[in-house]
Amino acid sequence: MAFVKDMLRMWAHSWKRFISIAMITLLGVAVLTGIYAGCRDAFRSTDRFFDAQGLHDVQVLSTAGLSNGDIAALRKVNGVAKVQAERSQEVTFDLDGRKSATMQEIGTNGIDQPYLQEGRMPKKAGEIAVTRKFIRDSGKRIGSRLTVTPESASSDTSDTSDTNGADGTNEASGTDEAPSFPTKLTIVGVVLDPQNLSNPDGYSAMTSFRSTATTDYTFFAPSDGVTGTLYTSATLLVKGAAAESTFDESYENTVKQVTDRIDGTVKTDRQKARRQELLDAGNRKIVDARAEADKKFADAQSQIDANRQQFNQQVDQIVSMQAGAAAAGAAANGANAGAAAAAGATTPQLDETTRETMRETIIAASPELTQAKQQLDQAQSQLNEQKASTEQTLKTKENELKTSIPQVRWYVQDRQLLGGFSALKSDLDSIQSLGNAFPIVFLLVAVMMSLTAMARMVEEDRSLIGTYVGLGYGRLAVASRYLLFALLACLIGGGLGLIAGFLGIPAFLLVVLQGMYVMPGLRLEYDWLYGSLGIALFVVGVLAATIYACVQEMRQTPASLLRPKAPRAGSRILLERIRPVWNHMGFLSKVTARNIFRFKSRLIMTVGGVAGCTALIVCGLAINDTVADLGIKQYRDIYQYDLMVVSDDSDALAMRTKVASDGRVTSSLDVRIESGDLTVAGSGDGDSGKAGSSGSESIQLVAVPEKHLSDLGEMVTLQPVSSGILGTSGVGKTGSLKLDDDGVIVAQSAASALGVKAGSKVRLTNGDGVQATAKVSAVNRNLIGSDVYVSETYYAKLFDSKDAKNTKNSKNSEDSEALTWNAMLAKLSGSDTSQTDYAESLEEDSSVMKAVSCAHMADSFKFDLMGAVVALIVALAGGLALVVLFTLANTNVSERVREMATLKVLGFFDREVHHYVNREMMILTVMGVILGLPLGRLVGGMLTMALNMPSLYFEVEVKPLSYVIAAVATMAFALLVQLFVNPVLDRIDPISSLKSVE
């Protein structure tokens, strides 16, 4: 019992060490669990939401639409739980200029169900539900009415120009008709599209540079009133996928098994079957046209034959009359009356030759009969010509049918290709990667500080340990005094760290996340396994340090422990050998130098601890500086143009005319901009930038006119880059990169995320959904957005001229007859404010789909989520620095009490004692800061390499001010610690402190 009381008394006496260990553990566990828990809560709530709304696991699109046969084939695929055929249609409406929307049918099989936020779901024809983004932009509300116009040439991913170009494929299929929605609409509800969780009232850094080829809004309508049996897509749920977390690899593997089956025989067979359906429909149309033509020609021939028969009867009647008259005259001139009577009673019999001769004579003698015969002959000739022409046309159609109907292409996609899903996943993964890296530094610092604190604690009780061991107590029992002390400190600190880690930090992160994404049903959850392992990690580290300190002391005999520890042998330091410097130093300066460099362990612990904390602060500020400069570097440095204007193909000429007539443009370049995808499917064969890499990135495909390839360098800074280390990259000389017809230039932001480099082969998808394999000729420096530049010639080579657009509206039509230049990059005159205002005014024009001012983007770009995490990390790093300095300072004082007492006996005033001790700590702090600044830059570079986010490349930047802030903050913490240490120095009693330990 006395042993326990003494142990508790010792614990109470060492309360400062207890608090230090507990605080370090608290901070470490909070960092380890906090960012993880925040991301995990977001992942779980999103996964529950996706399951509740039935977000599809797989989506199948086709260039020729999907038929009932396609849907039936998908239902038979092993592993498919549900299949939902979906219909959609692109429409336009007037909302401060021409806007587009996708009319989406609400599925009846429970897949991709919109989440109701306000009002009610539409139930009958003419009712729609809209997104909050539309409500915000339009100013409309529930009950408002809207009239839309179907796109005349609308083509979405599943109904592209390939289909419409096949001589009326939709009509040819007979029973398969394109979807059609009501045009007079009433808003009855506000919903959240599960495929896009972006918060329209928050901030999204991607919205301003994403491609403008997609529609502006999505309207959800019930099946009532929707006509057409041709489906634009099919969405699938996979068996067992809902039981997995949608963000885990196990989910991806489950879905991949089904997509592989679809990509196998099902996809190939249905592509062939669908094309054969289109061919059969075309052949049926030709057969029907031939039958209809034959019927018309037969009717016309019958009419001509009837008229000719009537004409012949009329001529034959005249022939008979003339023949009878001739016979009567002959009888009157030389025959008897009986013979004459007999001749008059019967028509003379004429042979065919005589009769035909008489017909021709009669027709020739009569102008009316001659004209009638000519008309009959002309009608017959025209009919024969029409029959021959029609037959030739039908034979030509039969011959051209196979070439006019392109090969049907299926696109099998999973959730990873949903822009909203991939953006959320990438944001959370990147933040979680930071949360995985920083706790390592906290753990190392915690172990170092625990080793320092516990080693000093054991050393202070050296004689007591010897006494207990001499009295027969086991070494384990004696060591348990310190092990339990460290364990209790870790458990209390870890428990408080769990509260901060699973409640405080996640609540902070989720507030920021909810400003970017809408996540219904979000709640904070505790992970028992991860939380327990988090505490256990620090417990093991701290106990290991404590065990090491105990073993170092207890391996001696009790007799040795009962005697005072022999002082360190005197030795010279390196500075003493530099005589010019050493000789000019004062006495106290020399003492300080010896104290600093003779005690190596204290030097390493202090400098290492301070360097680690300083490095964390620099690392956080480095990430902040990197993110803060992204907009300026991209929109001021890389993009040389001031304005990007995009229009619909049909409005391209009107858009250019409008911009030119305003007189603001000093130089411009017409280009074509499309929304697309860049995919790398690495198999380790060297085609991709790094073996085994795979992934997909949404891109902005920019086609440049062949005769103006050199002008691209005037609008965009072209600099080749090569991958570097520690967040750096090798950047080539400006202007050394040229766009040619041998490949595409890929933005660094996309290349870094997918592991693409010059010479890689990638899969490009253009705005029409057509895919092609392209060679990467170079990687261009680019930080925001994923631009892929391609020449006009190479574009036509990749996607085939039949898939390209008509350029009848292009002023550069002499360059090509294949593309419409639907966008313009322009340099403007005037200030940044006037350029921003001009871009906003252009968006109100009906011919303009999107106008982006680089000046506005440079000023407004920000990354709230990363900024919040950086602020959190810097705050925690500052707290760790304060605890570390406090621990080291108290340890320094506790092991030098006799020295401080001696100074007081020698007549040193309290202020002089303060200066004597604090000067050493300040010098050690400065040394730690000097080491921590470059270390922070190094760690910052390593962390930014892990932040592979969609359309972003973090080019590490650390401003001089950040180094100053980190250094000043650390020094300020050191000064603050002095305020706590000075009273301890003042309370040292020289008499009791200098008593012999004997």
Side-chain angles (χ1 to χ4, degrees), residues 526-541:
Y526 180 72
D527 187 336
W528 288 98
L529 178 61
Y530 194 86
S532 301
L533 291 178
I535 294 181
L537 184 64
F538 281 85
V539 166
V540 170

Side-chain angles (χ1 to χ4, degrees), residues 225-292:
V226 182
T227 61
T229 56
L230 189 67
Y231 306 110
T232 53
S233 67
T235 51
L236 290 70
L237 293 182
V238 175
K239 292 179 180 178
E244 306 288 346
S245 173
T246 185
F247 301 98
D248 289 348
E249 186 176 354
S250 58
Y251 167 83
E252 296 178 8
N253 293 335
T254 302
V255 174
K256 188 175 185 299
Q257 293 177 3
V258 175
T259 57
D260 288 345
R261 295 187 189 111
I262 297 175
D263 280 329
T265 57
V266 176
K267 175 180 177 179
T268 304
D269 293 345
R270 289 310 306 170
Q271 286 179 160
K272 293 179 180 178
R274 179 59 178 156
R275 186 169 188 268
Q276 189 60 48
E277 289 177 3
L278 299 178
L279 290 173
D280 293 343
N283 286 325
R284 285 197 302 271
K285 187 176 181 180
I286 293 175
V287 170
D288 293 342
R290 177 179 278 112
E292 184 179 357

Side-chain angles (χ1 to χ4, degrees), residues 381-399:
S381 176
Q382 290 177 351
L383 179 60
N384 293 337
E385 290 178 0
Q386 290 179 2
K387 290 173 68 175
S389 175
T390 300
E391 184 63 26
Q392 182 62 37
T393 300
L394 293 176
K395 287 183 178 180
T396 301
K397 288 290 185 182
E398 287 178 339
N399 295 332

Side-chain angles (χ1 to χ4, degrees), residues 316-328 348 350 358-359 361-362 365:
D316 288 343
Q317 185 178 3
I318 296 175
V319 169
S320 299
M321 291 175 61
Q322 289 183 354
L350 301 176
M358 292 182 66
R359 285 175 181 161
T361 302
I362 293 171

